Amino acid sequence: MYRRFAEGEVRGRSAVYEGLALGISEDPGVLALIDGLPVARRQPNLLLAAVRFLGGPVEDYPAFREWVTAHWPRLHTTMLERRTQTNEPGRCATLLPVLAGLPQPLALIEVGASAGLCLYPDRYRYRYDNLPPLGPADGPLLACRTAGPVPIPERPPSVVWRAGIDLNPLALTEPHGGSMEWLTP
Ligand SMILES: C[S@@+](CC[C@H](N)C(=O)[O-])C[C@H]1O[C@@H](n2cnc3c(N)ncnc32)[C@H](O)[C@@H]1O
């Protein structure tokens, strides 16, 4: 699982995570600790996020390994308490043509919203291929490469109401130790 994560998911995106996951995949001692977790909690990104959340070193495998081994009880508890609840606002670039093509204005409900960052498709700025960007000038830019006949919208949708539903909704305004630190350690 850790080798697949290194080679298939983070290679070319995070050299640090790739190096750590490869190190773990060849380390029987650390793998034995991970094996003590329930199957659903053995995820590489959960372990790596928990180490960063707790302030462990991530730049060098031997230091990482030593820290993980020494702090395993705390790490274990964090991995049982927390979940990976990634938000991928980039998905808004693929939803935008559909949302913009519907009768306006829109009310949005997202099931599985996590912290709700995909509930703001009207607040991002989009650049499809080399076309001029659309969306608010101060919005975070989502660059998107297309293939095939994509109906590129002329303007963002008009959203007048939005709500998120989640088993464990995250609030980015929670104080220290809350969702913000977990999502962006
Ligand atoms: C990977 S996150 C995706 C967040 C967001 N939709 C996105 O695409 O960026 C999946 C979310 O679904 C939530 N979830 C999983 N099962 C659910 C259920 N049965 N009902 C409501 N939310 C659920 C999880 O708590 C998590 O926050």
Side-chain angles (χ1 to χ4, degrees):
M1 188 197 289
Y2 277 73
R3 190 176 318 113
R4 210 168 46 233
F5 176 80
E7 294 173 352
E9 293 190 41
V10 288
R11 181 162 293 170
R13 303 172 79 192
S14 168
V16 169
Y17 270 21
E18 181 187 350
L20 294 177
L22 280 177
I24 293 168
S25 75
E26 292 164 8
D27 188 329
V30 174
L31 288 175
L33 294 174
I34 296 168
D35 266 348
L37 286 159
V39 175
R41 298 305 172 110
R42 296 178 193 165
Q43 292 167 277
N45 49 3
L46 179 60
L47 171 67
L48 296 169
V51 171
R52 295 186 64 199
F53 182 65
L54 296 174
V58 293
E59 299 296 339
D60 164 66
Y61 187 72
F64 171 88
R65 172 190 210 287
E66 193 181 323
W67 191 94
V68 165
T69 309
H71 296 84
W72 183 249
R74 262 175 86 208
L75 195 51
H76 183 270
T77 303
T78 301
M79 290 177 72
L80 292 181
E81 281 174 355
R82 304 249 174 196
R83 300 157 191 260
T84 54
Q85 283 187 259
T86 48
N87 257 212
E88 297 282 358
R91 287 175 178 151
C92 292
T94 60
L95 291 173
L96 198 75
V98 177
L99 296 178
L102 295 172
Q104 307 290 314
L106 301 180
L108 297 180
I109 298 184
E110 184 181 7
V111 179
S114 189
L117 301 187
C118 292
L119 276 166
Y120 293 90
D122 51 333
R123 305 271 179 91
Y124 299 114
R125 190 164 171 77
Y126 303 85
R127 191 179 61 227
Y128 292 96
D129 302 318
N130 295 322
L131 296 172
L134 73 130
D138 57 351
L141 181 70
L142 301 178
C144 184
R145 207 169 52 239
T146 69
V150 180
I152 306 289
E154 286 174 8
R155 61 188 64 83
S158 164
V159 181
V160 291
W161 186 89
R162 57 197 105 211
I165 299 172
D166 203 285
L167 285 176
N168 180 38
L170 299 178
L172 294 182
T173 48
E174 272 180 17
H176 187 71
S179 303
M180 185 65 144
E181 275 93 351
W182 174 242
L183 292 176
T184 56

